[in-house]
Amino acid sequence: VQLQASGGGLVQAGGSLTLSCAASGSIKSIRNMGWYRQAPGKERELVAVIASGGSTNYADSVKGRFTISRDNTNNTLYLKMNSLKPEDTALYYCNAAIITTGRWTPRDYWGQGTQVTVSS
């Protein structure tokens, strides 16, 4: 199983970006999917998570600005980021709890990270 994240880049404060994360491989089902981020010198933190049924949870720092969504048909996760701030600058990672073919319990998988840089 692989998670391929994309969509990061350099944007001015107030701008928008949309991240994508495509899961591929021997996937039977995907439970929770989420986005995390890690800024230099800081610990990785949860940004947003979405359950297989669509319920969502957000970090307080991004509520009202970021929207997480998923396409269960294509095993793809998205993060729409609006009103970006310099403090949103970080390496963004996607995460998914995936049940692979032949297994009955989920395992955690991580994407490679995509850099988001917001200039002031």
Side-chain angles (χ1 to χ4, degrees), residues 63-79:
K63 279 180 184 174
R65 300 188 298 122
F66 291 10
T67 303
I68 190 170
S69 62
R70 62 191 284 174
D71 178 349
N72 290 331
T73 301
N74 294 306
N75 293 331
T76 303
L77 176 70
Y78 301 97
L79 185 69

Side-chain angles (χ1 to χ4, degrees), residues 1 25-29 98-107 109:
V1 171
S26 301
I27 297 171
K28 187 160 67 176
S29 67
I98 297 175
I99 301 176
T100 54
T101 306
R103 295 181 61 90
W104 296 99
T105 55
R107 287 179 57 188
Y109 291 87

Side-chain angles (χ1 to χ4, degrees), residues 23-41:
S24 61
S26 301
I27 297 171
K28 187 160 67 176
S29 67
I30 303 179
R31 301 285 179 83
N32 283 4
M33 302 182 82
W35 290 97
Y36 292 73
R37 66 187 181 187
Q38 187 166 19

Side-chain angles (χ1 to χ4, degrees), residues 11-87:
V11 65
Q12 287 190 331
S16 298
L17 281 175
T18 298
L19 306 183
S20 300
C21 176
S24 61
S26 301
I27 297 171
K28 187 160 67 176
S29 67
I30 303 179
R31 301 285 179 83
N32 283 4
M33 302 182 82
W35 290 97
Y36 292 73
R37 66 187 181 187
Q38 187 166 19
K42 294 188 176 181
E43 293 188 354
R44 189 175 297 189
E45 63 175 359
L46 174 68
V47 175
V49 63
I50 183 168
S52 55
S55 60
T56 58
N57 242 323
Y58 295 90
D60 287 343
S61 58
V62 307
K63 279 180 184 174
R65 300 188 298 122
F66 291 10
T67 303
I68 190 170
S69 62
R70 62 191 284 174
D71 178 349
N72 290 331
T73 301
N74 294 306
N75 293 331
T76 303
L77 176 70
Y78 301 97
L79 185 69
K80 173 68 172 173
M81 305 183 292
N82 294 326
S83 303
L84 281 161
K85 304 175 181 179
E87 51 263 44

